[in-house]
Amino acid sequence: MKQKQTTLLAIIVTVVLILAGCGTTNEATTNSKLKVVTTFYPMYDFTKQVVGAKGEVSLLIEAGVEPHDYEPSAKDIATITEADVFVYNSAYFETWVPKVIENIDTTKTTVIDASKGITLKDFTAAEEAAHSHEHADEEAHDHEDGETHDHKAETDADKNPHVWLDPVLAQQQVKTIAEGIAQHDEKNATTYQENAETYQQKLAILDQQYTDAFAHVSQKTFVTSHAAFGYLANRYGIKQLPIAGLSPDAEPSPKEMAKIKTFVKANKINIIYFEALTSPKLAETLATETGAKTVELSPLEGLSEEQQASDLDYIKVMENNLTALQKSIK
């Protein structure tokens, strides 16, 4: 972990020096369309809906890349530095962002934390159990490398950042993004606000679809490979039981896996959910041992190029997620 931080700092220093030597200036707002850089897919889609035809919105983390594993390259940092606006979800998700924005000119590049104003939640008991094991793995790895790991300091800072999966909180993120962009480009502020309101209405319809679907259900628990759906579950009165923690690469201990297996059998849960960007191994193993089957449930952390080319977007994927969840929550 320390090695990653050192590498990132070295990249930032290099980029800053290169840009300073080139005398880079940002005249995009006056000479061309607004240039907006976003981190991963939901931020990209929300921002694109707000900006409309008034700017160019780009995606920093490429299609198919797991955002939890991403570290920015020198080219990525230069792209952020040269943008008019930079949009990210939260420092608890894009953990590399605080170090980057410390070293860019925020009078030139407007930085928007889309989760600003949203109270991020601590883990639920099930998430905490999976996450504790995840930290134990990290700690053991750091010790093998001869590095120290301040587990307490990291745990104190841990919050669940997956707010975009709650359609109501997604509306708040869209509002925050629109306000930040409007502040940067005041002459088009009305357009940004109108675009945001139009999209928020679509998100409100999505929220109503979820509300109606789960208004009267008896089996409320769904089992997923990744603890990403806490906000969504809390919003609609259902419960997620994650196999892993907030990082989809984490693995539960044998004891934790046995508890989940027992729960699945006792409650006759017939679906184990997996996600496309990470290995389905855990979900498949649990399904095989319990007689369940696997179904994809997208945390929307990234869409493949093929998915985007087929006109999938945030709302369509969330509608697909609703259909998938209704297979086990009845």
Side-chain angles (χ1 to χ4, degrees):
M1 188 168 297
K2 285 186 177 181
Q3 185 177 4
K4 281 188 176 181
Q5 293 173 347
T6 302
T7 302
L8 177 57
L9 182 58
I11 291 173
I12 292 170
V13 171
T14 301
V15 171
V16 171
L17 290 174
I18 290 173
L19 293 177
C22 294
T24 302
T25 59
N26 185 1
E27 298 177 352
T29 306
T30 57
N31 295 340
S32 62
K33 287 186 176 182
L34 189 76
K35 187 178 358 179
V36 186
V37 173
T38 62
T39 50
F40 69 114
Y41 184 76
M43 301 302 101
Y44 169 75
D45 198 15
F46 294 169
T47 304
K48 194 167 63 169
Q49 298 293 334
V50 169
V51 171
K54 294 296 182 182
E56 298 173 350
V57 181
S58 62
L59 184 61
L60 195 66
I61 302 176
E62 297 178 356
V65 174
E66 167 54 55
H68 288 272
D69 300 330
Y70 169 82
E71 288 289 333
S73 66
K75 181 180 177 182
D76 293 335
I77 295 173
T79 298
I80 296 170
T81 303
E82 293 169 354
D84 298 308
V85 180
F86 172 55
V87 181
Y88 70 105
N89 176 70
S90 165
Y92 295 99
F93 190 75
E94 302 97 320
T95 55
W96 48 269
V97 164
K99 184 61 67 176
V100 171
I101 61 179
E102 282 178 7
N103 294 276
I104 66 175
D105 184 358
T106 54
T107 63
K108 176 171 68 74
T109 301
T110 296
V111 177
I112 300 174
D113 174 354
S115 294
K116 183 179 180 180
I118 296 174
T119 301
L120 300 183
K121 295 182 180 296
D122 295 324
F123 300 117
T124 64
E127 290 167 345
E128 183 61 44
H131 188 67
S132 295
H133 185 74
E134 174 184 332
H135 272 305
D137 286 344
E138 290 177 358
E139 197 168 80
H141 175 72
D142 286 342
H143 289 167
E144 287 172 6
D145 290 343
E147 296 180 1
T148 58
H149 181 76
D150 190 350
H151 177 68
K152 182 179 186 302
E154 186 172 338
T155 303
D156 288 344
D158 282 338
K159 298 286 184 179
N160 186 342
H162 297 78
V163 293
W164 67 87
L165 289 166
D166 176 344
V168 175
L169 295 181
Q171 292 176 59
Q172 189 169 338
Q173 289 197 301
V174 170
K175 181 176 184 290
T176 298
I177 290 168
E179 288 174 347
I181 294 175
Q183 185 176 1
H184 183 96
D185 183 16
E186 294 181 355
K187 68 179 183 297
N188 291 309
T190 300
T191 298
Y192 300 137
Q193 296 296 343
E194 289 175 349
N195 288 347
E197 289 170 7
T198 297
Y199 190 57
Q200 285 172 307
Q201 291 171 7
K202 295 179 181 179
L203 293 173
I205 293 172
L206 178 67
D207 167 49
Q208 192 61 53
Q209 290 173 335
Y210 270 82
T211 299
D212 293 343
F214 300 129
H216 304 288
V217 293
S218 56
Q219 202 310 97
K220 297 185 177 183
T221 302
F222 62 101
V223 179
T224 179
S225 60
H226 176 194
F229 300 91
Y231 291 96
L232 182 144
N234 182 68
R235 175 67 60 188
Y236 302 109
I238 56 180
K239 300 177 181 179
Q240 76 163 344
L241 178 59
I243 301 173
L246 289 185
S247 171
D249 294 328
E251 293 192 7
S253 68
K255 182 179 180 180
E256 289 159 356
M257 194 69 169
K259 285 182 179 179
I260 296 171
K261 180 180 175 180
T262 299
F263 181 90
V264 169
K265 285 186 173 181
N267 291 276
K268 299 180 180 179
I269 292 174
N270 63 338
I271 301 289
I272 309 298
Y273 294 101
F274 71 95
E275 61 183 80
L277 290 182
T278 57
S279 171
K281 180 181 176 181
L282 283 174
E284 290 173 347
T285 298
L286 183 60
T288 298
E289 293 179 352
T290 59
K293 62 180 180 179
T294 58
V295 172
E296 181 178 348
L297 188 67
S298 174
L300 271 156
E301 292 177 359
L303 294 186
S304 69
E305 293 178 358
E306 291 78 11
Q307 287 174 315
Q308 293 182 56
S310 64
D311 293 327
L312 278 179
D313 57 15
Y314 173 87
I315 288 179
K316 290 177 183 176
V317 173
M318 286 293 288
E319 289 175 341
N320 291 344
N321 279 350
L322 176 57
T323 300
L325 284 169
Q326 287 178 294
K327 295 179 185 295
S328 63
I329 300 175
K330 300 175 182 179

